[in-house]
Amino acid sequence: SAALHVDLCKATNSTDALQYLLQFARKPVEAESVEGVVRILLEHYYKETDTSVRLKIASLLGLLSKTQGFRPDCIVDDIINTLCNEKSHQVLAQLLDTLLVVGTELPDSPAVRQRLVQVSCKHLSDTYFGVRNKCLQLLGCVGTWKDTLGLLRDVQSIISDYFGDQDPRVRTAALKAMACRLLSDDYEQVRSAAVQMVWVLSQLYPESIVPIPSSNEEIRLVDDAFGKISHMVSDGSWMVRVQAAKTLGSMLQVSPHFLEQTLDKKLMSDLRRKRTAHERAKELFASGEFSSGRKWADDAPKEKLDTNTVNLIASGACGAFVHGLEDEMFEVRIAAVEALCQLARSSPTFAEKCLDFLVDMFNDEIEEVRLQSIHVLRQISTHITLREDQLDTVLAVLEDSSRDIREALHELLCYTNVSTKECIQLALLELLKNLNKYPTDRNSVWKCLKFLGSRHPTLVLPLVPELLSTHPYFDTPEPDMDDPAYIAVLVLVFNAAKSCPTMPALFSDHTFRHYAYLRDSLSHLVPPLRLPGRKQVLGLDPVDSGSASGSVESAQLFLQQSLNRISTIQNLEAPGAQDLLNFTIRDVQRLGHLQTQLSGAADFCATYLRCQLLLMKALQEKLWNMAVPLCLKQNVTATAAARQILEETYKLEFLYGGLENRQIATIHHVRLQAKALQLILSARTRQGLDPLISSCEKFLQEIEAFQRSFLTELPHLHDSFVDKLLELKPRISACSSVELVKILQTTLRQSGLLQLRLPEQIHRATATIIEPTGESDNPLRFTSGLVVALDIDATLEHVQDPQNTVKVQVLYPDGQSHVIHPKPGDFRKPGADRHRLITQVYLSHTAWTEPSQIEVRLLLSYSSASSSLSSSKHLGWSDSSDGLQSPEAVVEGTIPFSKPVKVFIMPKPARR
Amino acid sequence: MPEIKVTPLGAGQDVGRSCILVSIGGKNIMLDCGMHMGYNDDRRFPDFSYITQNGRLTEFLDCVIISHFHLDHCGALPYMSEMVGYDGPIYMTHPTKAICPILLEDFRKITVDKKGETNFFTSQMIKDCMKKVIPLNLHQTVQVDDELEIKAYYAGHVLGAAMVHIKVGSESVVYTGDYNMTPDRHLGAAWIDKCRPDILISESTYATTIRDSKRCRERDFLKKVHESIERGGKVLIPVFALGRAQELCILLETFWERMNLKAPIYFSTGLTEKANHYYKLFITWTNQKIRKTFVQRNMFEFKHIKAFDRSYADNPGPMVVFATPGMLHAGQSLQIFKKWAGNEKNMVIMPGYCVQGTIGHKILNGQRKLEMEGRATVRKLSFTFTLTFFLLCNLDVKLQVEYMSFSAHADAKGIMQLIRMAEPRNMLLVHGEAVKMEFLKGKIEQEFSINCYMPANGETTTVTTNPSVPVDISLNLLKREMALGGPLPDPKKPRTMHGTLIMKENSLKLVSSEQALKELGLNEHQLRFTCRVQLQDPHSDPDTLHRIYTHLKSVLKGYTIQHLPDGTVMVESIVIKVSSSAEDPNTKVLLLSWSYQVTFLRC
């Protein structure tokens, strides 16, 4: 210290002094001499005029007060004194920093703390942001300690005053000081809010650098926040834990070093470092020995740990996810799994690391958690390749009795990469076992093998002889073509063969035959192969044709042209027009079959044209010129046509997704025409005026409703039926019902066809019943009067809101029909626009003498109320109130939209 | 300063016979009363003579609290209450109260009936002892007496295990018993609120261990069992009747359910059946999953697990058997082991630690040939002697031997986590080995900067506390203080005031002195200080007085000074009188007199 004194005295100018100080900073100082050094430094400080030297001295003071064995309380006063006299803002900030160090060194002295708080409060009004920043830090740090009496509340309010500071850096510091303090609050809501606050901060200023108190290191704010939130994963309240785990998932900017710590939990046993089971499994795998854990002490600790380095509560993110995944509450576990997923998706290395943990979660006690972890693994599977032992654990889940779990796993396997041919073999074996145990998984297993094959052609190749049990010399017996297991193997092989041209050479004759059969029967699973000696059937294969995208465009063009052609219909004579419509309908339907992407649109057009055709036919009947009693028969056909048109319009409106307002208006227009037709017919046949008057009124109201609903569309409906009616409106509303009917009759016959404009995309809602298959010859026997449960499994495509609209209809041979509304929980959503219905319907009937078939189908229910409501949204407020009172009767109905499936049942008479 | 004293009679730097005495706020509490498994002599029970040399313990203890039903925490209870003598309240949770007597009875049977010891407690004593037990509910605050209150928290070690928070006034102690911070298949994790006790007394069995994830171990276990069953082998799992056995049962039961397996699982009869019954009853003490699903199905109503019969062991086909005891040293598990040892398809899984010398320990260490000592026949030849044939036979161990550690104690991280949850002011470690404690102690002091103690048996740890003492203050006094003016009361600044503190029947009251006099029926005494000052002055007495008066008036400005007609001068409340001495009229005696309050204020 004496040397320093001499040096400082010698120094003539500030640069020299600074040099001396820098040199001094590198030397260690003993605890006894610290005080002396501090005095010398302070003395020089008072004399010094250069700010940089003062700054250095201030920082040196901070360093010195950290010396072991030195109690810095004696220098607090000095520092505070200098603080009062200091003018330079930088030096002020540095001095406050020194006080911060002193404060952390003296956690147990309330007097010092009190003074520190006072000082920092005083300097909070400084103009320089750095000073305010440091003050807040000091407040946050000092105020954290407990039992500061009334001080605490004070500090809180002071800090919160600075939330509104004009400098963003100060605001950050204020929030940070506050949030970090609140993380250890007594109340869970506060802690939970604090977690959120820290998160928001970390998102706002991820890259700003924050110092770690009590050390010189500085880290990014997002990392610091990540560490703090990770800490909260082991909080006492599960609400906070859920919140913390969820929050972790969204902190994607965190540096990988911190991220990997969350999975790290240094194991030790009696102070010796132990390897985790995961590490051991990996090593065993690497050393070639497969099965593990045969020995008692194989987890015996290896290296001895230094007791000083073991950090039991790691300051950082250590083991946060290990804890989260082991939590008692499944909510926390799910949150942790989700967070893992989000983080892993953005970081491949982390994905690799968290794999073991996710695989472990497959064994959770709650099915939801298991399912979730399988889904998560699927989402990150692009980043990873499964090792054999991991695959083994994954495949073990295939025996799970829950269908959801198995299907999720199949889906996972579709996307999984494996590394060796053994893995493929293992997977195939387990899948076949699964197929054997749960035959209902057939489709899912096949699909899974399809992807497995196409992903790993080279790994499948060496397995082919074994899989197909071919032999170089002997002919092996031909396997049974109906065996689902054999089909499964073939699906795998054929899909692999698609990108591996050498494979077909290994096939035996019957394999080719089976290929042809499967290609026809299961074309969605078996790809087209270029097989030797087989002609490639080109052209008929829309999937295969290279110009697939081009053909879509041309098909679209064709569709548009056919529609345009229809517009010429006005000029044609009746028979010609009908023919044209007929042909167009046929063309369009065929197009829909060929071009799957356009099938929705094509179907829509065809149905619309069919409506027009029916209308045309009905209007061209000669009945209009005849006297009423003479044409009863024709009347009947016309009535039927009107009813059919009505039905078709409902189909058009509710079965197709992606319609715009314009199309809906067109559909409603057709419906209006059909209703007019009905009115005319009923007027002609029925005697008596009273019913006619009421139905006329109804029709008028409907016209009004139409006008209201499609106000914006009316210009497009030029020269149409409605347009003409609206022109005549004053006359109509005044005239009598008989007159009205006459007017309608003429307008209907004069009005032309309305041009259909196609929207971008039209999807037809479809449903396929997978289960029951309808192939079984064994009747389902049950005692009459009791019920039997029938499992139904169906996929729905392009159905909006299936929970409310999809119903199951059961038709008994005696004409009885039941409509069953499945529970909302029975619908699953495996993909966009796709739904899966897995439900049970209960059947019951009186005793039959012999088994008979019932029909099961799916219905799509609709209600015109919902559509009119949605269309009224397009209107202004003044109109909508009117619309609500609209007397238009709500029409509810159902559209069958799946092929019916027949099920053989046999209710037996009850035994007495 | 008030103190809290903690003295372990057992479990101080040791595992076994947990028994800790706590003196807090004048109350004496005994925490746990266990026996030591390692000893068969007097050392197996805690040394109660520490409390009193002769006579009963009732007057020395205010209550006894038992944390859970393991014998090393409750094994000495009948001995203490019936043989030494204690009639006060004993607190334990409902499940502990239900299961504890079964275990005690079993323990008694083994010691008395099997080993033939005398001077041991009897069945009747166990019953009498249990009559003194008062059951506790979780988070229920129980008033032991007017001042002492206790509250139980969930500990997750075994069914009904609890941590207790003991509070007298503002001083408090938390005793954890054994606890577990990682939930398992049937119990949840320990939880405590931020109660900031003066001392946290924690177990430290795994003070130097940080354990692997539980899921890993479970998966391993299930995989091994599953593989063996698929091969058609038989699996033997030796267990002790309570605790782990139930966890493994649930694990296997759910796995069987999930995987749709058909192979039978058997559970050896007797104690375990009884215990399972209680597990079924105390659903509220189990974990989230069981609690939530028990309405549909109680997880302890095992669908696949059936009672074992001796003859089943020879049945063909795969099966899983849980059999007691856990270390394969005797009984059913050993019998089954002998039957199955010869087949390499079979497997034995040891779910816990095995003491040296047991067969369990031998096979775990890889011994493949065992010398069995089969007591084949015991034939009574006459009254005088019996002949025992010892059949020594070699047993080839061909079956697979697996080890799997399932333990329900908190590891080092768990202990730290609990400290963080409770935020104690001091920490005290028991129930662990001294060396390991030393390490943890260092860590705790470093991370939390709180004191940590680890007393040995019989050693007393004293912790001084700084409790705040609430005092009632009379409204009149406060109003008067307000009336006195001065700065307005500031909640952040202390302020002095006058009053009388009355301590009466454990209550403290601050009242004005007049009221205190009235309340206590005392007369008011005036205390005046007098002092004589002699001075030489030739003037007459009144003149001298007048001179003093004028002098004071010039010196003490700002004070009221009065010259009273009765020949005295008053300066504020100080009275000055002048009298001349009898011998010398020039020597004047100045008599000063002031009241007690004046001195007090000057000080």
Side-chain angles (χ1 to χ4, degrees), chain B residues 337-564:
Chain B
F337 175 76
K338 279 195 233 165
K339 269 189 189 153
W340 291 358
N343 192 338
E344 66 269 15
K345 276 201 286 189
N346 297 342
M347 182 189 296
V348 59
I349 299 180
M350 312 293 300
Y353 181 72
C354 285
V355 170
Q356 198 152 21
T358 57
I359 291 183
H361 187 257
K362 281 181 197 160
I363 57 170
L364 280 180
N365 279 330
Q367 211 168 318
R368 294 317 254 175
K369 272 200 195 307
L370 294 175
E371 282 196 350
M372 286 291 179
E373 184 180 276
R375 200 160 12 162
T377 45
V378 180
R379 189 175 296 162
K380 220 169 206 171
L381 289 181
S382 72
F383 285 110
T384 47
F385 63 94
T386 52
L387 229 180
T388 311
F389 297 98
F390 284 105
L391 256 172
L392 279 179
C393 59
N394 275 333
L395 187 65
D396 275 334
V397 182
K398 284 190 188 144
L399 88 178
Q400 296 171 40
V401 180
E402 301 285 358
Y403 172 74
M404 199 109 314
S405 154
F406 283 88
S407 174
H409 288 277
D411 63 357
K413 253 193 147 146
I415 296 172
M416 299 303 251
Q417 204 182 333
L418 190 83
I419 299 175
R420 205 158 71 92
M421 270 167 132
E423 290 192 357
R425 295 194 183 84
N426 294 283
M427 186 72 200
L428 194 140
L429 298 177
V430 292
H431 201 279
E433 291 161 41
V435 194
K436 298 182 179 177
M437 278 186 188
E438 199 74 57
F439 163 77
L440 190 64
K441 178 176 184 266
K443 283 287 150 199
I444 291 171
E445 283 173 348
Q446 180 193 334
E447 304 247 357
F448 296 100
S449 50
I450 55 175
N451 289 326
C452 183
Y453 306 93
M454 37 174 282
N457 284 340
E459 209 173 82
T460 303
T461 298
T462 311
V463 172
T464 56
T465 56
N466 194 3
S468 50
V469 183
V471 173
D472 293 334
I473 185 163
S474 80
L475 196 62
N476 282 333
L477 189 63
L478 270 179
K479 280 187 178 160
R480 209 168 63 184
E481 191 66 23
M482 286 279 288
L484 271 180
L488 277 175
D490 182 356
K492 286 162 208 155
K493 295 236 170 67
R495 175 162 165 174
T496 52
M497 65 188 296
H498 275 282
T500 314
L501 189 69
I502 306 178
M503 291 171 72
K504 212 159 120 193
E505 292 157 1
N506 283 330
S507 70
L508 296 176
K509 225 163 49 174
L510 191 65
V511 294
S512 62
S513 45
E514 296 84 35
Q515 201 187 338
L517 286 172
K518 220 162 73 188
E519 242 176 67
L520 301 173
L522 296 174
N523 290 325
E524 187 176 0
H525 294 268
Q526 285 269 350
L527 192 64
R528 284 194 87 82
F529 296 86
T530 52
C531 151
R532 284 159 176 274
V533 182
Q534 287 200 347
L535 34 98
Q536 294 291 321
D537 190 49
H539 303 280
S540 70
D541 289 0
D543 281 352
T544 317
L545 194 64
H546 191 74
R547 282 180 61 181
I548 291 170
Y549 170 67
T550 42
H551 175 71
L552 283 175
K553 204 139 189 189
S554 63
V555 174
L556 297 172
K557 280 179 182 129
Y559 289 88
T560 51
I561 299 171
Q562 289 169 290
H563 193 177
L564 296 176

Side-chain angles (χ1 to χ4, degrees), chain A residues 563-573 577 580 753 755:
Chain A
L563 283 180
N564 290 341
R565 202 167 49 204
I566 300 293
S567 58
T568 59
I569 213 163
Q570 253 97 339
N571 316 329
L572 286 172
E573 279 304 304
L580 177 62
L753 191 140
Q755 181 74 5

Side-chain angles (χ1 to χ4, degrees), chain A residues 371-642:
Chain A
L371 199 57
Q372 182 69 30
S373 43
I374 294 173
H375 283 313
V376 166
L377 197 57
R378 192 195 72 222
Q379 287 173 26
I380 62 171
S381 54
T382 42
H383 290 312
I384 48 175
T385 304
L386 284 177
R387 285 199 315 269
E388 198 172 331
D389 58 327
Q390 286 165 338
L391 186 72
D392 197 37
T393 335
V394 171
L395 290 173
V397 186
L398 276 179
E399 287 188 48
D400 203 296
S401 59
S402 152
R403 187 186 190 131
D404 287 326
I405 296 260
R406 291 200 307 270
E407 284 185 356
L409 202 74
H410 293 153
E411 199 139 335
L412 164 66
L413 285 177
C414 290
Y415 296 101
T416 310
N417 303 313
V418 295
S419 44
T420 61
K421 75 173 173 42
E422 281 79 17
C423 289
I424 292 281
Q425 199 165 17
L426 197 69
L428 179 67
L429 228 73
E430 291 291 330
L431 283 170
L432 291 182
K433 220 196 250 175
N434 170 6
L435 197 61
N436 195 22
K437 201 163 172 180
Y438 306 100
T440 49
D441 286 359
R442 207 164 65 172
N443 282 309
S444 177
V445 168
W446 287 344
K447 203 178 115 215
C448 171
L449 283 168
K450 171 187 168 190
F451 282 96
L452 209 60
S454 53
R455 274 182 106 85
H456 307 286
T458 46
L459 295 180
V460 176
L461 183 63
L463 291 172
V464 167
E466 195 185 336
L467 291 179
L468 299 178
S469 55
T470 48
H471 195 277
Y473 309 122
F474 304 116
D475 273 349
T476 45
E478 183 176 331
D480 178 16
M481 202 46 241
D482 290 331
D483 181 10
Y486 179 62
I487 295 179
V489 172
L490 286 184
V491 167
L492 175 76
V493 171
F494 290 149
N495 278 290
K498 194 187 171 197
S499 46
C500 182
T502 53
M503 207 180 283
L506 298 167
F507 295 172
S508 53
D509 289 344
H510 55 77
T511 316
F512 290 110
R513 266 187 284 122
H514 292 166
Y515 165 74
Y517 170 64
L518 286 182
R519 179 78 193 103
D520 279 348
S521 61
L522 295 171
S523 52
H524 60 293
L525 292 173
V526 180
L529 294 179
R530 283 174 198 285
L531 296 180
R534 283 188 147 258
K535 258 191 283 164
Q536 204 70 23
V537 197
L538 278 175
L540 272 177
D541 242 330
V543 191
D544 190 43
S545 54
S547 57
S549 59
S551 75
V552 171
E553 275 159 28
S554 65
Q556 200 141 28
L557 199 67
F558 175 75
L559 193 62
Q560 203 55 55
Q561 279 168 352
S562 345
L563 283 180
N564 290 341
R565 202 167 49 204
I566 300 293
S567 58
T568 59
I569 213 163
Q570 253 97 339
N571 316 329
L572 286 172
E573 279 304 304
Q578 281 186 19
D579 281 347
L580 177 62
L581 273 177
N582 261 327
F583 289 133
T584 318
I585 289 171
R586 197 199 59 200
D587 287 353
V588 167
Q589 270 175 339
R590 180 69 190 142
L591 180 78
H593 287 305
L594 285 178
Q595 200 65 50
T596 43
Q597 276 157 293
L598 285 178
S599 67
D603 251 9
F604 183 73
C605 293
T607 318
Y608 175 73
L609 294 180
R610 205 175 306 121
C611 289
Q612 296 292 359
L613 184 64
L614 281 169
L615 194 65
M616 200 179 281
K617 275 184 187 164
L619 290 175
Q620 276 184 350
E621 299 282 354
K622 290 171 202 122
L623 72 125
W624 308 103
N625 307 324
M626 269 190 255
V628 179
L630 295 177
C631 56
L632 272 179
K633 202 172 160 200
Q634 283 89 338
N635 238 342
V636 171
T637 52
T639 319

